[in-house]
Short mmCIF file of all heavy atoms in Angstrom, two decimals:
data_model
loop_
_atom_site.label_atom_id
_atom_site.label_comp_id
_atom_site.label_asym_id
_atom_site.label_seq_id
_atom_site.Cartn_x
_atom_site.Cartn_y
_atom_site.Cartn_z
N MET A 455 120.90 72.86 110.98
CA MET A 455 120.03 74.00 111.03
C MET A 455 118.59 73.56 110.74
O MET A 455 118.33 72.91 109.77
CB MET A 455 120.47 75.04 110.01
CG MET A 455 119.59 76.24 109.98
SD MET A 455 120.28 77.43 108.81
CE MET A 455 118.84 78.32 108.48
N THR A 456 117.70 73.92 111.63
CA THR A 456 116.28 73.59 111.47
C THR A 456 115.60 74.73 110.71
O THR A 456 115.74 75.90 111.03
CB THR A 456 115.61 73.42 112.82
OG1 THR A 456 116.36 72.41 113.52
CG2 THR A 456 114.19 72.96 112.64
N VAL A 457 114.83 74.35 109.69
CA VAL A 457 114.10 75.31 108.90
C VAL A 457 112.68 75.37 109.43
O VAL A 457 111.96 74.38 109.44
CB VAL A 457 114.10 74.99 107.41
CG1 VAL A 457 113.26 75.97 106.60
CG2 VAL A 457 115.52 74.94 106.88
N THR A 458 112.28 76.57 109.88
CA THR A 458 110.90 76.79 110.32
C THR A 458 110.29 77.89 109.46
O THR A 458 111.06 78.64 108.79
CB THR A 458 110.85 77.22 111.78
OG1 THR A 458 111.56 78.47 111.92
CG2 THR A 458 111.52 76.17 112.69
N PRO A 459 108.99 78.01 109.45
CA PRO A 459 108.40 79.10 108.65
C PRO A 459 108.88 80.48 109.03
O PRO A 459 109.09 81.36 108.21
CB PRO A 459 106.88 78.95 108.93
CG PRO A 459 106.72 77.53 109.28
CD PRO A 459 107.95 77.13 110.00
N THR A 460 109.12 80.72 110.33
CA THR A 460 109.60 82.03 110.77
C THR A 460 111.07 82.25 110.38
O THR A 460 111.49 83.39 110.21
CB THR A 460 109.41 82.23 112.28
OG1 THR A 460 110.04 81.15 112.95
CG2 THR A 460 107.94 82.27 112.61
N SER A 461 111.82 81.20 110.21
CA SER A 461 113.22 81.37 109.83
C SER A 461 113.33 81.74 108.34
O SER A 461 114.38 82.26 107.92
CB SER A 461 114.04 80.11 110.12
OG SER A 461 113.65 79.07 109.23
N LEU A 462 112.27 81.52 107.57
CA LEU A 462 112.31 81.85 106.16
C LEU A 462 111.85 83.28 105.90
O LEU A 462 111.95 83.75 104.77
CB LEU A 462 111.43 80.87 105.36
CG LEU A 462 111.88 79.43 105.39
CD1 LEU A 462 110.87 78.56 104.63
CD2 LEU A 462 113.26 79.30 104.74
N LEU A 463 111.28 83.97 106.89
CA LEU A 463 110.81 85.33 106.69
C LEU A 463 111.87 86.29 106.21
O LEU A 463 111.59 87.09 105.31
CB LEU A 463 110.14 85.87 107.95
CG LEU A 463 108.78 85.27 108.27
CD1 LEU A 463 108.27 85.82 109.61
CD2 LEU A 463 107.79 85.55 107.17
N PRO A 464 113.09 86.28 106.72
CA PRO A 464 114.11 87.21 106.14
C PRO A 464 114.38 86.97 104.69
O PRO A 464 114.66 87.87 103.95
CB PRO A 464 115.34 86.94 107.02
CG PRO A 464 114.82 86.40 108.29
CD PRO A 464 113.58 85.60 107.90
N LEU A 465 114.27 85.69 104.24
CA LEU A 465 114.49 85.42 102.84
C LEU A 465 113.38 86.01 101.97
O LEU A 465 113.63 86.52 100.89
CB LEU A 465 114.52 83.91 102.60
CG LEU A 465 115.71 83.19 103.19
CD1 LEU A 465 115.56 81.68 102.98
CD2 LEU A 465 117.00 83.66 102.63
N ALA A 466 112.14 86.00 102.46
CA ALA A 466 111.04 86.56 101.70
C ALA A 466 111.05 88.06 101.70
O ALA A 466 110.65 88.68 100.71
CB ALA A 466 109.71 86.03 102.28
N ALA A 467 111.49 88.68 102.76
CA ALA A 467 111.44 90.13 102.86
C ALA A 467 112.77 90.81 102.53
O ALA A 467 112.84 92.00 102.47
CB ALA A 467 111.03 90.52 104.26
N GLY A 468 113.82 90.06 102.32
CA GLY A 468 115.09 90.65 102.05
C GLY A 468 115.71 91.20 103.32
O GLY A 468 115.47 90.71 104.40
N ASP A 469 116.50 92.23 103.19
CA ASP A 469 117.21 92.84 104.35
C ASP A 469 116.30 93.94 104.96
O ASP A 469 116.52 95.10 104.75
CB ASP A 469 118.52 93.43 103.90
CG ASP A 469 119.36 93.91 105.08
OD1 ASP A 469 119.13 93.41 106.18
OD2 ASP A 469 120.23 94.75 104.81
N ARG A 470 115.34 93.48 105.75
CA ARG A 470 114.38 94.35 106.45
C ARG A 470 113.72 95.33 105.50
O ARG A 470 113.47 96.48 105.84
CB ARG A 470 115.12 95.10 107.56
CG ARG A 470 115.52 94.17 108.65
CD ARG A 470 116.03 94.98 109.82
NE ARG A 470 116.39 94.01 110.88
CZ ARG A 470 116.64 94.39 112.12
NH1 ARG A 470 116.53 95.64 112.41
NH2 ARG A 470 116.94 93.49 113.01
N ALA A 471 113.45 94.93 104.29
CA ALA A 471 112.73 95.75 103.34
C ALA A 471 111.67 94.86 102.68
O ALA A 471 111.71 93.67 102.70
CB ALA A 471 113.69 96.28 102.28
N THR A 472 110.70 95.51 102.13
CA THR A 472 109.66 94.79 101.44
C THR A 472 110.22 94.19 100.15
O THR A 472 110.82 94.88 99.35
CB THR A 472 108.45 95.70 101.12
OG1 THR A 472 108.05 96.31 102.33
CG2 THR A 472 107.32 94.92 100.57
N SER A 473 109.98 92.94 99.95
CA SER A 473 110.50 92.21 98.81
C SER A 473 109.79 92.70 97.53
O SER A 473 108.56 92.78 97.48
CB SER A 473 110.27 90.74 98.97
OG SER A 473 110.52 90.05 97.81
N PRO A 474 110.57 93.02 96.47
CA PRO A 474 109.93 93.40 95.23
C PRO A 474 109.09 92.25 94.62
O PRO A 474 108.12 92.48 93.92
CB PRO A 474 111.08 93.76 94.29
CG PRO A 474 112.30 93.73 95.11
CD PRO A 474 111.98 93.14 96.42
N VAL A 475 109.53 91.04 94.91
CA VAL A 475 108.75 89.87 94.41
C VAL A 475 107.41 89.81 95.10
O VAL A 475 106.39 89.58 94.45
CB VAL A 475 109.57 88.57 94.65
CG1 VAL A 475 108.73 87.34 94.27
CG2 VAL A 475 110.86 88.59 93.88
N LEU A 476 107.37 90.03 96.41
CA LEU A 476 106.13 90.04 97.15
C LEU A 476 105.23 91.15 96.65
O LEU A 476 104.02 90.95 96.46
CB LEU A 476 106.38 90.20 98.64
CG LEU A 476 105.18 90.19 99.57
CD1 LEU A 476 104.55 88.79 99.52
CD2 LEU A 476 105.63 90.49 100.98
N LEU A 477 105.76 92.35 96.44
CA LEU A 477 104.99 93.45 95.91
C LEU A 477 104.46 93.12 94.51
O LEU A 477 103.32 93.46 94.18
CB LEU A 477 105.83 94.72 95.86
CG LEU A 477 106.19 95.37 97.18
CD1 LEU A 477 107.07 96.59 96.95
CD2 LEU A 477 104.96 95.74 97.95
N GLY A 478 105.27 92.48 93.71
CA GLY A 478 104.84 92.06 92.38
C GLY A 478 103.72 91.08 92.39
O GLY A 478 102.74 91.20 91.66
N PHE A 479 103.77 90.13 93.33
CA PHE A 479 102.68 89.14 93.45
C PHE A 479 101.39 89.81 93.86
O PHE A 479 100.32 89.54 93.35
CB PHE A 479 103.03 88.03 94.47
CG PHE A 479 103.93 86.96 93.94
CD1 PHE A 479 104.98 86.48 94.70
CD2 PHE A 479 103.69 86.43 92.68
CE1 PHE A 479 105.81 85.48 94.20
CE2 PHE A 479 104.51 85.42 92.20
CZ PHE A 479 105.59 84.98 92.94
N PHE A 480 101.49 90.73 94.84
CA PHE A 480 100.30 91.44 95.27
C PHE A 480 99.71 92.29 94.18
O PHE A 480 98.51 92.33 93.96
CB PHE A 480 100.62 92.33 96.50
CG PHE A 480 100.60 91.60 97.80
CD1 PHE A 480 100.52 90.21 97.88
CD2 PHE A 480 100.71 92.29 99.00
CE1 PHE A 480 100.54 89.54 99.11
CE2 PHE A 480 100.71 91.63 100.21
CZ PHE A 480 100.60 90.27 100.27
N ALA A 481 100.59 93.00 93.43
CA ALA A 481 100.09 93.87 92.38
C ALA A 481 99.45 93.06 91.22
O ALA A 481 98.35 93.39 90.77
CB ALA A 481 101.24 94.71 91.84
N VAL A 482 100.10 92.02 90.81
CA VAL A 482 99.56 91.17 89.73
C VAL A 482 98.29 90.49 90.18
O VAL A 482 97.30 90.44 89.42
CB VAL A 482 100.62 90.16 89.25
CG1 VAL A 482 100.01 89.13 88.32
CG2 VAL A 482 101.75 90.85 88.56
N GLY A 483 98.27 89.98 91.41
CA GLY A 483 97.04 89.38 91.93
C GLY A 483 95.90 90.34 92.03
O GLY A 483 94.73 90.02 91.72
N GLY A 484 96.19 91.59 92.41
CA GLY A 484 95.14 92.62 92.47
C GLY A 484 94.57 92.95 91.12
O GLY A 484 93.36 93.08 90.94
N VAL A 485 95.46 93.10 90.14
CA VAL A 485 94.97 93.38 88.78
C VAL A 485 94.19 92.25 88.18
O VAL A 485 93.11 92.48 87.59
CB VAL A 485 96.19 93.77 87.87
CG1 VAL A 485 95.78 93.84 86.42
CG2 VAL A 485 96.80 95.07 88.33
N ILE A 486 94.63 91.02 88.40
CA ILE A 486 93.90 89.86 87.89
C ILE A 486 92.53 89.75 88.57
O ILE A 486 91.51 89.49 87.92
CB ILE A 486 94.71 88.57 88.06
CG1 ILE A 486 95.89 88.57 87.10
CG2 ILE A 486 93.87 87.34 87.84
CD1 ILE A 486 96.87 87.45 87.31
N ALA A 487 92.50 89.95 89.91
CA ALA A 487 91.21 89.89 90.66
C ALA A 487 90.27 90.96 90.16
O ALA A 487 89.07 90.72 89.99
CB ALA A 487 91.49 90.01 92.14
N MET A 488 90.78 92.19 89.92
CA MET A 488 89.89 93.23 89.43
C MET A 488 89.38 92.93 88.04
O MET A 488 88.22 93.12 87.75
CB MET A 488 90.65 94.57 89.43
CG MET A 488 90.74 95.17 90.81
SD MET A 488 91.52 96.80 90.78
CE MET A 488 90.52 97.67 89.61
N ALA A 489 90.25 92.44 87.16
CA ALA A 489 89.81 92.12 85.79
C ALA A 489 88.78 91.01 85.80
O ALA A 489 87.72 91.11 85.12
CB ALA A 489 91.00 91.70 84.94
N ALA A 490 88.99 89.97 86.59
CA ALA A 490 88.02 88.89 86.66
C ALA A 490 86.71 89.33 87.29
O ALA A 490 85.61 89.01 86.87
CB ALA A 490 88.59 87.70 87.44
N GLY A 491 86.83 90.16 88.34
CA GLY A 491 85.64 90.66 89.03
C GLY A 491 84.79 91.53 88.13
O GLY A 491 83.54 91.41 88.09
N LEU A 492 85.44 92.44 87.38
CA LEU A 492 84.68 93.28 86.49
C LEU A 492 84.08 92.47 85.34
O LEU A 492 82.97 92.74 84.88
CB LEU A 492 85.58 94.37 85.91
CG LEU A 492 85.98 95.46 86.90
CD1 LEU A 492 87.01 96.40 86.30
CD2 LEU A 492 84.75 96.25 87.40
N SER A 493 84.78 91.47 84.90
CA SER A 493 84.24 90.58 83.87
C SER A 493 83.00 89.83 84.35
O SER A 493 82.02 89.73 83.63
CB SER A 493 85.31 89.56 83.43
OG SER A 493 84.78 88.63 82.54
N TRP A 494 83.04 89.35 85.59
CA TRP A 494 81.88 88.68 86.16
C TRP A 494 80.73 89.61 86.42
O TRP A 494 79.57 89.27 86.22
CB TRP A 494 82.25 87.96 87.44
CG TRP A 494 83.08 86.74 87.28
CD1 TRP A 494 83.52 86.19 86.13
CD2 TRP A 494 83.57 85.91 88.32
NE1 TRP A 494 84.29 85.09 86.39
CE2 TRP A 494 84.31 84.89 87.72
CE3 TRP A 494 83.47 85.96 89.72
CZ2 TRP A 494 84.94 83.88 88.47
CZ3 TRP A 494 84.07 84.96 90.44
CH2 TRP A 494 84.80 83.95 89.84
N ALA A 495 81.05 90.82 86.89
CA ALA A 495 80.00 91.77 87.24
C ALA A 495 79.21 92.23 86.03
O ALA A 495 78.04 92.46 86.10
CB ALA A 495 80.63 92.97 87.95
N PHE A 496 79.87 92.30 84.87
CA PHE A 496 79.19 92.76 83.66
C PHE A 496 78.93 91.65 82.67
O PHE A 496 78.63 91.90 81.50
CB PHE A 496 80.00 93.90 83.00
CG PHE A 496 80.10 95.10 83.85
CD1 PHE A 496 81.26 95.49 84.47
CD2 PHE A 496 78.97 95.90 84.05
CE1 PHE A 496 81.34 96.60 85.27
CE2 PHE A 496 79.00 97.00 84.84
CZ PHE A 496 80.21 97.37 85.48
N ASP A 497 79.00 90.38 83.12
CA ASP A 497 78.71 89.26 82.27
C ASP A 497 77.21 89.09 82.14
O ASP A 497 76.52 88.77 83.09
CB ASP A 497 79.34 87.98 82.85
CG ASP A 497 79.17 86.77 81.92
OD1 ASP A 497 78.95 86.98 80.71
OD2 ASP A 497 79.26 85.63 82.43
N LEU A 498 76.72 89.29 80.95
CA LEU A 498 75.27 89.22 80.71
C LEU A 498 74.93 88.07 79.79
O LEU A 498 73.87 88.06 79.16
CB LEU A 498 74.79 90.55 80.15
CG LEU A 498 75.04 91.77 81.01
CD1 LEU A 498 74.60 93.02 80.27
CD2 LEU A 498 74.34 91.64 82.33
N ARG A 499 75.78 87.09 79.67
CA ARG A 499 75.54 85.99 78.77
C ARG A 499 74.61 84.93 79.34
O ARG A 499 74.22 83.99 78.66
CB ARG A 499 76.87 85.28 78.39
CG ARG A 499 77.73 86.18 77.52
CD ARG A 499 79.03 85.47 77.20
NE ARG A 499 79.88 85.48 78.44
CZ ARG A 499 80.98 84.81 78.51
NH1 ARG A 499 81.42 84.06 77.57
NH2 ARG A 499 81.69 84.90 79.65
N GLY A 500 74.21 85.07 80.58
CA GLY A 500 73.27 84.14 81.16
C GLY A 500 73.86 82.84 81.63
O GLY A 500 73.16 81.82 81.68
N LEU A 501 75.14 82.80 81.94
CA LEU A 501 75.76 81.57 82.45
C LEU A 501 75.31 81.24 83.89
O LEU A 501 75.35 80.11 84.28
CB LEU A 501 77.29 81.69 82.41
CG LEU A 501 77.89 81.86 81.01
CD1 LEU A 501 79.38 82.04 81.11
CD2 LEU A 501 77.56 80.64 80.14
N ALA A 502 74.94 82.25 84.61
CA ALA A 502 74.46 82.10 85.99
C ALA A 502 73.45 83.21 86.23
O ALA A 502 73.37 84.13 85.44
CB ALA A 502 75.61 82.16 86.96
N PRO A 503 72.70 83.13 87.32
CA PRO A 503 71.82 84.24 87.62
C PRO A 503 72.58 85.55 87.67
O PRO A 503 73.66 85.62 88.28
CB PRO A 503 71.23 83.88 88.98
CG PRO A 503 71.35 82.42 89.09
CD PRO A 503 72.60 82.06 88.29
N VAL A 504 72.04 86.58 87.02
CA VAL A 504 72.77 87.83 86.87
C VAL A 504 73.11 88.44 88.23
O VAL A 504 74.24 88.94 88.43
CB VAL A 504 71.95 88.85 86.04
CG1 VAL A 504 72.62 90.17 85.94
CG2 VAL A 504 71.77 88.25 84.64
N GLY A 505 72.19 88.42 89.17
CA GLY A 505 72.50 89.00 90.47
C GLY A 505 73.61 88.28 91.20
O GLY A 505 74.45 88.91 91.84
N TYR A 506 73.67 86.97 91.03
CA TYR A 506 74.72 86.14 91.65
C TYR A 506 76.09 86.53 91.11
O TYR A 506 77.05 86.73 91.85
CB TYR A 506 74.44 84.67 91.40
CG TYR A 506 75.41 83.70 91.99
CD1 TYR A 506 75.48 83.51 93.35
CD2 TYR A 506 76.22 82.97 91.18
CE1 TYR A 506 76.36 82.64 93.92
CE2 TYR A 506 77.13 82.05 91.71
CZ TYR A 506 77.19 81.89 93.10
OH TYR A 506 78.04 81.01 93.65
N LEU A 507 76.20 86.66 89.77
CA LEU A 507 77.48 87.04 89.18
C LEU A 507 77.89 88.44 89.55
O LEU A 507 79.06 88.75 89.74
CB LEU A 507 77.42 86.92 87.66
CG LEU A 507 77.61 85.55 87.09
CD1 LEU A 507 77.54 85.59 85.57
CD2 LEU A 507 78.94 84.96 87.50
N ARG A 508 76.92 89.35 89.64
CA ARG A 508 77.25 90.73 89.98
C ARG A 508 77.78 90.84 91.41
O ARG A 508 78.69 91.61 91.68
CB ARG A 508 76.04 91.63 89.79
CG ARG A 508 75.80 91.84 88.33
CD ARG A 508 74.81 92.94 88.06
NE ARG A 508 74.70 93.07 86.60
CZ ARG A 508 73.76 93.72 86.02
NH1 ARG A 508 72.80 94.27 86.75
NH2 ARG A 508 73.71 93.82 84.72
N VAL A 509 77.18 90.08 92.32
CA VAL A 509 77.66 90.10 93.71
C VAL A 509 79.07 89.51 93.79
O VAL A 509 79.96 90.09 94.42
CB VAL A 509 76.69 89.34 94.63
CG1 VAL A 509 77.30 89.11 95.99
CG2 VAL A 509 75.38 90.07 94.74
N LEU A 510 79.30 88.37 93.16
CA LEU A 510 80.61 87.78 93.13
C LEU A 510 81.65 88.66 92.46
O LEU A 510 82.77 88.82 92.92
CB LEU A 510 80.58 86.38 92.50
CG LEU A 510 79.98 85.24 93.27
CD1 LEU A 510 80.01 83.99 92.46
CD2 LEU A 510 80.70 85.04 94.59
N GLY A 511 81.25 89.25 91.35
CA GLY A 511 82.15 90.16 90.62
C GLY A 511 82.50 91.38 91.44
O GLY A 511 83.65 91.82 91.44
N GLY A 512 81.51 91.93 92.11
CA GLY A 512 81.79 93.07 92.98
C GLY A 512 82.71 92.70 94.13
O GLY A 512 83.61 93.49 94.47
N ALA A 513 82.51 91.55 94.74
CA ALA A 513 83.36 91.11 95.83
C ALA A 513 84.79 90.87 95.35
O ALA A 513 85.75 91.24 96.01
CB ALA A 513 82.82 89.84 96.48
N LEU A 514 84.93 90.29 94.18
CA LEU A 514 86.25 90.00 93.64
C LEU A 514 86.96 91.29 93.25
O LEU A 514 88.16 91.47 93.44
CB LEU A 514 86.18 89.06 92.43
CG LEU A 514 87.43 88.43 91.92
CD1 LEU A 514 88.13 87.68 93.04
CD2 LEU A 514 87.13 87.47 90.81
N THR A 515 86.24 92.24 92.70
CA THR A 515 86.80 93.54 92.37
C THR A 515 87.24 94.26 93.62
O THR A 515 88.34 94.87 93.65
CB THR A 515 85.78 94.40 91.59
OG1 THR A 515 85.38 93.69 90.41
CG2 THR A 515 86.38 95.73 91.19
N LEU A 516 86.46 94.21 94.68
CA LEU A 516 86.85 94.83 95.95
C LEU A 516 88.11 94.16 96.51
O LEU A 516 89.01 94.81 97.04
CB LEU A 516 85.69 94.71 96.94
CG LEU A 516 85.94 95.35 98.32
CD1 LEU A 516 86.14 96.85 98.16
CD2 LEU A 516 84.75 95.06 99.21
N ALA A 517 88.19 92.85 96.38
CA ALA A 517 89.40 92.13 96.88
C ALA A 517 90.63 92.58 96.07
O ALA A 517 91.72 92.75 96.62
CB ALA A 517 89.20 90.62 96.75
N GLY A 518 90.45 92.78 94.77
CA GLY A 518 91.56 93.28 93.96
C GLY A 518 92.00 94.66 94.35
O GLY A 518 93.22 94.95 94.44
N LEU A 519 91.04 95.52 94.67
CA LEU A 519 91.38 96.86 95.12
C LEU A 519 92.12 96.82 96.45
O LEU A 519 93.07 97.59 96.68
CB LEU A 519 90.11 97.70 95.27
CG LEU A 519 89.52 98.23 93.98
CD1 LEU A 519 88.17 98.89 94.22
CD2 LEU A 519 90.46 99.21 93.30
N VAL A 520 91.70 95.93 97.35
CA VAL A 520 92.38 95.78 98.66
C VAL A 520 93.82 95.31 98.41
O VAL A 520 94.77 95.83 99.06
CB VAL A 520 91.61 94.82 99.55
CG1 VAL A 520 92.45 94.42 100.77
CG2 VAL A 520 90.30 95.43 100.00
N LEU A 521 94.02 94.37 97.50
CA LEU A 521 95.40 93.89 97.26
C LEU A 521 96.26 95.03 96.67
O LEU A 521 97.43 95.14 97.05
CB LEU A 521 95.36 92.72 96.25
CG LEU A 521 95.14 91.36 96.87
CD1 LEU A 521 95.06 90.32 95.75
CD2 LEU A 521 96.25 90.97 97.81
N LEU A 522 95.69 95.83 95.78
CA LEU A 522 96.45 96.95 95.23
C LEU A 522 96.76 97.98 96.34
O LEU A 522 97.85 98.56 96.37
CB LEU A 522 95.71 97.57 94.06
CG LEU A 522 95.68 96.74 92.83
CD1 LEU A 522 94.84 97.42 91.73
CD2 LEU A 522 97.09 96.48 92.30
N PHE A 523 95.82 98.22 97.24
CA PHE A 523 96.06 99.15 98.36
C PHE A 523 97.16 98.61 99.27
O PHE A 523 98.03 99.36 99.70
CB PHE A 523 94.79 99.37 99.13
CG PHE A 523 94.98 100.25 100.32
CD1 PHE A 523 95.18 101.62 100.16
CD2 PHE A 523 95.00 99.74 101.60
CE1 PHE A 523 95.35 102.44 101.25
CE2 PHE A 523 95.19 100.55 102.70
CZ PHE A 523 95.38 101.93 102.55
N VAL A 524 97.13 97.32 99.56
CA VAL A 524 98.18 96.70 100.37
C VAL A 524 99.54 96.82 99.68
O VAL A 524 100.55 97.12 100.35
CB VAL A 524 97.84 95.22 100.67
CG1 VAL A 524 99.01 94.48 101.25
CG2 VAL A 524 96.65 95.14 101.63
N THR A 525 99.56 96.62 98.38
CA THR A 525 100.83 96.75 97.62
C THR A 525 101.34 98.17 97.79
O THR A 525 102.54 98.38 98.06
CB THR A 525 100.59 96.42 96.15
OG1 THR A 525 100.07 95.10 96.04
CG2 THR A 525 101.89 96.53 95.35
N TYR A 526 100.49 99.14 97.59
CA TYR A 526 100.90 100.57 97.73
C TYR A 526 101.38 100.88 99.12
O TYR A 526 102.41 101.52 99.30
CB TYR A 526 99.71 101.45 97.31
CG TYR A 526 99.98 102.92 97.38
CD1 TYR A 526 100.72 103.55 96.39
CD2 TYR A 526 99.49 103.71 98.43
CE1 TYR A 526 101.01 104.88 96.43
CE2 TYR A 526 99.77 105.03 98.49
CZ TYR A 526 100.51 105.64 97.50
OH TYR A 526 100.81 106.97 97.55
N ALA A 527 100.65 100.40 100.14
CA ALA A 527 101.07 100.65 101.51
C ALA A 527 102.41 100.02 101.86
O ALA A 527 103.31 100.65 102.44
CB ALA A 527 99.98 100.16 102.46
N LEU A 528 102.62 98.79 101.42
CA LEU A 528 103.89 98.10 101.67
C LEU A 528 105.04 98.77 100.93
O LEU A 528 106.16 98.84 101.45
CB LEU A 528 103.80 96.63 101.29
CG LEU A 528 103.01 95.72 102.20
CD1 LEU A 528 102.91 94.32 101.61
CD2 LEU A 528 103.63 95.65 103.60
N TRP A 529 104.74 99.23 99.74
CA TRP A 529 105.78 99.90 98.96
C TRP A 529 106.23 101.20 99.66
O TRP A 529 107.42 101.49 99.75
CB TRP A 529 105.26 100.21 97.56
CG TRP A 529 106.20 100.92 96.66
CD1 TRP A 529 107.47 100.61 96.36
CD2 TRP A 529 105.95 102.14 95.95
NE1 TRP A 529 108.04 101.50 95.50
CE2 TRP A 529 107.07 102.45 95.21
CE3 TRP A 529 104.82 102.95 95.86
CZ2 TRP A 529 107.18 103.58 94.42
CZ3 TRP A 529 104.88 104.07 95.02
CH2 TRP A 529 106.07 104.36 94.31
N HIS A 530 105.28 101.94 100.23
CA HIS A 530 105.65 103.19 100.90
C HIS A 530 106.25 102.94 102.29
O HIS A 530 107.07 103.75 102.75
CB HIS A 530 104.42 104.08 101.07
CG HIS A 530 104.23 104.93 99.85
ND1 HIS A 530 105.04 106.00 99.52
CD2 HIS A 530 103.30 104.88 98.86
CE1 HIS A 530 104.62 106.53 98.41
NE2 HIS A 530 103.59 105.86 97.98
N LEU A 531 105.86 101.84 102.94
CA LEU A 531 106.47 101.53 104.23
C LEU A 531 107.91 101.01 104.08
O LEU A 531 108.68 101.09 105.00
CB LEU A 531 105.61 100.52 104.98
CG LEU A 531 104.28 101.03 105.46
CD1 LEU A 531 103.47 99.89 106.05
CD2 LEU A 531 104.49 102.10 106.49
N GLY A 532 108.18 100.49 102.91
CA GLY A 532 109.53 100.14 102.53
C GLY A 532 110.14 98.93 103.07
O GLY A 532 111.24 98.68 103.14
#
């Protein structure tokens, strides 16, 4: 039996359902991205130019929100 990336998809998704492990990774990744993004956005210690950190923090927070939205959508699609 030859193992290809597409042959592993049923293992990742289970029996035609969204894998709880995949949903967990997305949810945890989204929360971590949001926490790090908010931390960078409000970091005023002067480690980098404030505008630079705020832009990166905002982008990372937005990415975390997108991951949480994807998790919610996949959970409802089932």
Side-chain angles (χ1 to χ4, degrees):
M455 177 177 159
T456 305
V457 177
T458 63
T460 55
S461 70
L462 296 176
L463 286 177
L465 294 175
D469 187 23
R470 293 188 178 194
T472 305
S473 169
V475 174
L476 183 64
L477 290 178
F479 280 137
F480 277 9
V482 169
V485 170
I486 289 173
M488 283 184 54
L492 289 173
S493 173
W494 286 0
F496 295 109
D497 185 21
L498 301 176
R499 291 179 286 170
L501 296 177
V504 176
Y506 181 70
L507 278 181
R508 287 192 177 165
V509 169
L510 286 179
L514 193 55
T515 302
L516 182 63
L519 283 172
V520 168
L521 276 176
L522 289 176
F523 177 73
V524 166
T525 303
Y526 181 76
L528 286 175
W529 178 54
H530 275 288
L531 290 174

